[in-house]
Amino acid sequence: MYKTLISFTVTLVLVSGQTWADDAALRTKAENAGLKPIPLAYQRVNDNALSQEKLELGWMLFFDPRISASGLISCNTCHNLSTGGDDNLPTSVGHGWQKGPRNAPTVLNSVFNSAQFWDGRAPDLKEQAKGPVQAGVEMANDSVSVVKTLNSMPEYVERFEQAFPGQADPVTFDNMAKAIEVFEVTLVTPNGPFDQWLRGNDDALTDAQKAGLELFVDKGCTACHSGVNVGGQGYFPFGLIKKPGADILPPDDKGRFEVTKTVSDEYVFRAAPLRNVSLTAPYFHSGQVWDLQQAVSVMALSQLGVELSDEQAGLIADFLRSLEGEQPHIGYPVLPVETAATPRPRF
Amino acid sequence: MYKTLISFTVTLVLVSGQTWADDAALRTKAENAGLKPIPLAYQRVNDNALSQEKLELGWMLFFDPRISASGLISCNTCHNLSTGGDDNLPTSVGHGWQKGPRNAPTVLNSVFNSAQFWDGRAPDLKEQAKGPVQAGVEMANDSVSVVKTLNSMPEYVERFEQAFPGQADPVTFDNMAKAIEVFEVTLVTPNGPFDQWLRGNDDALTDAQKAGLELFVDKGCTACHSGVNVGGQGYFPFGLIKKPGADILPPDDKGRFEVTKTVSDEYVFRAAPLRNVSLTAPYFHSGQVWDLQQAVSVMALSQLGVELSDEQAGLIADFLRSLEGEQPHIGYPVLPVETAATPRPRF
C-alpha cells in the first residue's frame, strides 16, 4: 500500500511537470547573468543618423547584385533574409564560386554586437559593409567601380542626394556603407519566446526550455553569451579548456590574431551571438557542425571543460530555440536600370 | 519674302512637332499589326488552377535557394525581380560558376508567351520551371533530392497539402513546378506608356515614340513581334535575310533544331518578347549586344534586310522603352528552416 502510494506520487510529479517551480527566481538568475530581451525601441549611437531616405536606399543597396564585380552577388546572397540572415552554408560561396574562409554570420540583430566579423575587425556595420564588397573571394569589386556603377543610374544619384543632403558629391563608397548600415540596423527580431518570458510571460517558455536556461546559466555559458544578443560582445579563445578537432578549429585560421598580431589572440574569436541560432546552422566559424545540440556539447567541453549529458545538451538546445524572434517581413525592391555608363559585369 | 515665310513655317512645324498628327490612325495601324495591351484581367488556360495557397507556396519556392544542389541558387537568381526579371548578364552563371549557353529571358509577362525558353522546348511555365532546377550548369539538382528537401521542412509539407488538397502525397516535383507557375503567372507589368496609349491616352507616348512605333510597324518588325508580349509567339530563323556575326549568332547553338532535330529549324529561335526590353540588356540569346538601338539595327538588317538610319533605329528604341510597365512590388518571403533531414548543400 505504501509502495503504491509513492509510485502514484511520482507519476503525479511527472505529469504535473509542466509547471516550472519558480519562474521569478529563474528570471532573476538569467538577468543577473546578463541576459536581456531585444529592446522594442533602440538607438544606434554613432555618427550615422537614421532617416527614411537612408533606410530605403540601404534596403535597395542590400539587395543590389550590381555592387559586386559579377553583377550576381548582393549582400543578401550570403546574408539571406529569407533564411535567418545567413546562407546556411559551411562557408560562403563568392566570386568565381570561391569558398570563403569562415561561416557567414547572420545580419539579424547584428546591430547589437559590439563589433562585426568573427574576429571583430570592423567596429560597426558601416565598416563591415565595405569588406565583402571588396573581398576577392566575395563580391570582388573595388570602391571606384562601385561608385561608378551607382553614379551611372540617375535614380541612385537622386536617392543619395536625398539621403545625404547638402553634400557636394553624395555618391560615395562611405555613404553606400552608411545607407546599408541604416537598413541593417532595422533587421532585428524581437518578441521571441525568451524575450516574452523575460518580460514576465511564464508560459512563453516550455519547462524543457526553462531547464535548459538554468543549465545555460549554471554551467557558465553566460560568461561569454550574454547581453541582448546572447553573445557578440567579447573575444575568447576557442578551445580555452580543450581544443576541438582540426575540422572544427582549423589550425590555419588564427582568428583575432590576424587583426591584432598579438600572440595571445591566436584562435580568439568573438563569442557568437546566439539569437536565432536555430535558423543559422551550420555552426562555428568553420561551419562544420550542423546539429545545435552537438554544437552545445562541443562548446561546453572546449570552453568550460564540462561534459554535458545528451539530455543536458538537448535541454540547452531547446532553450536556444526560444531565441528565435519575429523575422523581418520586408519588400523586395525594384532597382534602377543600368545605363550605357554602368560598368559591365566582370565574371 | 516668300523664302522667309517658308523658313518660318518649317521652324513652326519643328517646334510644334510635339503633337502627333493622327493618333487614332496610328492606333488602328498598331492594332491591325497585332499589337495589344497587357490585359488587366486574364486567365491562364491550363490544368493548373490559381489559388491563394498555390500562389504563396510558389512565391516561397521561387525565392528558395535550397531547391538548388548548392543551396545558393534560386529561380530569382537568374530571373531577378529587382532587375526586370532577369540577371543582366550575357549568359547566366550557375552551379560551380558555370556559364549557361543562353541569355536568361525575363520571367515578367512570360505567361503571355506561347512557349518557354529561347527554343520553345517547354510548352508552359510549369514545364519550364523544372528545367533549370535539374540543369547541371544551373541549379544542378535532381527531382528526388528536391522532394527530399521540401519534405524535410514541416511548413512546406503543410503548405503543399493546402495548395494541393486531397492528394495523398502532395509534395512532388510536379506540384512544386505548378506552384511556381501560379506565382509566375502573376508577374505581369501592365499599364506601361504603350498600354495607356493603346487604350486611348494620346499623351502616354512621346512623338518620338509614336514615330518609332510607326517605323516598327511599317518596316515589318510586327511580323514577328506582335501580340500582348510584342513577341514570344512564333519561331523564326535568326539571320533570315543576312546572318549576323558569329559573336551574336554562335555557330554551335542551333536553336530550335536541338528540340525538333529538323534541319529547317537550324538557328531558329522564338521571337523575343519585347515587353520591358529596356530593362533586360544585354540582348539576343547570346547576350552579346548591350545597346538597345544597336540591337534594333542588327535585327532590321538580319531579319528584314533593312538598313535603318541611326535616327530610325533610335526612334524604334524610343518606342520600345514605352513597353516598360508597372513592375510587381512583392514581399520577400521568410522561408521554413532546414531540419536534420534536409539534404546538405553540395557545392
Side-chain angles (χ1 to χ4, degrees):
Chain A
M1 182 64 191
Y2 191 57
K3 274 175 103 174
T4 309
L5 187 66
I6 285 178
S7 167
F8 179 72
T9 309
V10 168
T11 308
L12 199 80
V13 168
L14 283 175
V15 169
S16 69
Q18 296 304 318
T19 309
W20 189 259
D22 190 347
D23 280 85
L26 182 58
R27 198 172 282 121
T28 301
K29 182 186 267 196
E31 285 162 352
N32 289 342
L35 294 168
K36 291 174 188 165
I38 292 180
L40 297 176
Y42 56 94
Q43 202 172 1
R44 177 65 184 160
V45 184
N46 70 6
D47 61 344
N48 188 14
L50 271 68
S51 73
Q52 187 62 30
E53 290 79 8
K54 261 190 228 175
L55 176 60
E56 275 187 30
L57 175 59
W59 166 62
M60 294 168 76
L61 293 167
F62 185 87
F63 280 104
D64 199 327
R66 296 163 305 184
I67 63 173
S68 67
S70 65
L72 195 63
I73 302 172
S74 70
C75 303
N76 189 67
T77 301
C78 298
H79 302 288
N80 194 326
L81 297 175
S82 276
T83 56
D86 76 339
D87 56 11
N88 303 313
L89 302 178
T91 63
S92 296
V93 169
H95 192 84
W97 211 258
Q98 295 173 88
K99 285 165 195 165
R102 293 181 190 149
N103 183 262
T106 180
V107 66
L108 298 175
N109 307 302
S110 55
V111 61
F112 301 124
N113 295 331
S114 65
Q116 304 301 329
F117 291 114
W118 279 97
D119 52 20
R121 67 184 182 276
D124 54 29
L125 288 164
K126 69 180 187 298
E127 279 310 301
Q128 191 280 333
K130 298 179 196 171
V133 178
Q134 301 176 92
V137 298
E138 300 185 51
M139 293 188 184
N141 214 343
D142 60 87
S143 59
V144 172
S145 191
V146 170
V147 169
K148 199 172 167 189
T149 294
L150 297 173
N151 261 320
S152 73
M153 295 180 258
E155 184 188 335
Y156 265 136
V157 175
E158 196 180 318
R159 284 182 176 273
F160 271 89
E161 284 165 358
Q162 288 165 356
F164 302 96
Q167 296 190 12
D169 182 20
V171 186
T172 66
F173 195 58
D174 278 359
N175 282 345
M176 174 206 75
K178 281 186 170 183
I180 291 174
E181 175 175 74
V182 163
F183 173 60
E184 290 181 340
V185 162
T186 68
L187 300 175
V188 299
T189 65
N191 298 321
F194 182 56
D195 300 273
Q196 294 177 36
W197 180 85
L198 274 178
R199 290 205 172 92
N201 176 359
D202 291 352
D203 297 334
L205 295 189
T206 67
D207 269 18
Q209 290 174 324
K210 291 172 192 173
L213 167 60
E214 185 147 66
L215 283 164
F216 190 76
V217 176
D218 288 348
K219 295 293 181 186
C221 307
T222 44
C224 302
H225 297 284
S226 68
V228 167
N229 238 358
V230 197
Q233 301 309 308
Y235 301 95
F236 305 94
F238 190 12
L240 183 65
I241 306 296
K242 186 172 160 31
K243 267 204 176 352
D247 52 336
I248 292 176
L249 182 61
D252 54 342
D253 183 352
K254 294 195 174 177
R256 193 159 165 78
F257 172 79
E258 312 292 348
V259 180
T260 64
K261 304 295 177 192
T262 302
V263 175
S264 61
D265 277 340
E266 283 189 354
Y267 305 110
V268 163
F269 294 88
R270 193 194 59 185
L274 299 181
R275 289 278 175 186
N276 301 293
V277 69
S278 49
L279 302 179
T280 62
Y283 301 112
F284 303 127
H285 67 284
S286 52
Q288 291 302 309
V289 173
W290 290 82
D291 181 65
L292 185 54
Q293 180 176 329
Q294 187 192 344
V296 168
S297 296
V298 167
M299 282 309 273
L301 195 58
S302 63
Q303 303 307 100
L304 303 164
V306 170
E307 203 151 346
L308 295 174
S309 70
D310 283 355
E311 194 204 350
Q312 289 174 316
L315 290 169
I316 292 178
D318 273 349
F319 158 63
L320 294 177
R321 289 187 189 96
S322 78
L323 300 176
E324 187 181 326
E326 289 170 3
Q327 303 295 298
H329 286 260
I330 54 182
Y332 193 61
V334 172
L335 299 174
V337 64
E338 303 90 34
T339 65
T342 309
R344 299 273 164 82
R346 287 156 282 143
F347 64 104
Chain B
M1 182 66 191
Y2 190 58
K3 275 175 99 172
T4 310
L5 186 67
I6 287 181
S7 165
F8 178 73
T9 309
V10 169
T11 309
L12 199 82
V13 169
L14 283 174
V15 168
S16 71
Q18 296 304 318
T19 309
W20 189 259
D22 190 347
D23 280 85
L26 181 59
R27 198 172 282 120
T28 302
K29 181 186 267 195
E31 285 162 355
N32 288 343
L35 294 168
K36 290 174 189 168
I38 292 181
L40 297 175
Y42 57 94
Q43 201 171 1
R44 177 66 183 159
V45 184
N46 71 6
D47 60 345
N48 189 14
L50 271 67
S51 73
Q52 186 61 30
E53 291 78 8
K54 261 190 226 174
L55 177 60
E56 275 188 29
L57 176 59
W59 166 62
M60 294 168 75
L61 293 167
F62 185 86
F63 281 104
D64 199 327
R66 296 163 306 184
I67 64 175
S68 67
S70 66
L72 194 63
I73 301 172
S74 69
C75 304
N76 188 68
T77 301
C78 299
H79 302 288
N80 195 326
L81 298 175
S82 276
T83 55
D86 77 339
D87 55 11
N88 302 314
L89 302 178
T91 63
S92 295
V93 170
H95 192 85
W97 210 258
Q98 295 172 90
K99 285 164 195 165
R102 292 182 189 148
N103 183 263
T106 180
V107 66
L108 298 175
N109 306 303
S110 56
V111 62
F112 301 123
N113 295 330
S114 65
Q116 304 300 328
F117 291 113
W118 279 97
D119 52 19
R121 67 184 182 275
D124 54 28
L125 288 165
K126 68 181 187 299
E127 279 311 301
Q128 189 281 331
K130 298 178 195 172
V133 178
Q134 302 176 92
V137 298
E138 300 186 51
M139 293 187 184
N141 214 344
D142 60 87
S143 60
V144 173
S145 190
V146 170
V147 169
K148 199 171 167 190
T149 293
L150 297 173
N151 260 320
S152 74
M153 296 181 256
E155 184 187 335
Y156 266 135
V157 175
E158 197 180 316
R159 284 181 175 273
F160 271 89
E161 284 165 358
Q162 288 165 355
F164 302 95
Q167 296 190 11
D169 181 20
V171 185
T172 66
F173 195 58
D174 278 359
N175 282 345
M176 174 206 76
K178 282 186 169 181
I180 291 174
E181 175 174 73
V182 163
F183 173 60
E184 290 180 339
V185 162
T186 69
L187 301 176
V188 298
T189 65
N191 297 322
F194 182 57
D195 300 272
Q196 294 177 37
W197 180 86
L198 275 177
R199 291 206 172 91
N201 176 1
D202 290 353
D203 298 333
L205 295 188
T206 65
D207 269 18
Q209 289 174 325
K210 290 171 193 174
L213 166 60
E214 187 147 65
L215 283 164
F216 190 77
V217 177
D218 288 348
K219 295 293 180 186
C221 307
T222 45
C224 301
H225 297 284
S226 67
V228 167
N229 239 358
V230 197
Q233 301 310 307
Y235 302 94
F236 305 94
F238 191 11
L240 183 65
I241 306 296
K242 185 171 160 30
K243 268 204 176 350
D247 52 336
I248 292 176
L249 183 61
D252 54 343
D253 183 353
K254 294 194 174 177
R256 194 160 164 78
F257 173 80
E258 312 292 348
V259 181
T260 64
K261 303 295 178 194
T262 303
V263 176
S264 60
D265 277 339
E266 283 189 353
Y267 305 109
V268 162
F269 293 89
R270 191 194 60 186
L274 299 182
R275 289 279 176 187
N276 301 292
V277 69
S278 50
L279 302 179
T280 62
Y283 302 111
F284 303 126
H285 67 284
S286 52
Q288 291 302 309
V289 173
W290 290 83
D291 180 65
L292 185 55
Q293 180 176 329
Q294 187 192 346
V296 168
S297 295
V298 167
M299 283 310 273
L301 194 60
S302 63
Q303 303 307 100
L304 303 165
V306 170
E307 202 152 346
L308 295 174
S309 69
D310 283 354
E311 195 203 349
Q312 289 174 319
L315 289 169
I316 293 178
D318 273 350
F319 158 62
L320 294 178
R321 290 189 189 96
S322 78
L323 299 175
E324 187 180 325
E326 288 171 2
Q327 302 296 299
H329 285 261
I330 54 181
Y332 193 62
V334 172
L335 299 173
V337 64
E338 302 90 35
T339 65
T342 309
R344 298 273 164 82
R346 287 155 282 143
F347 65 104

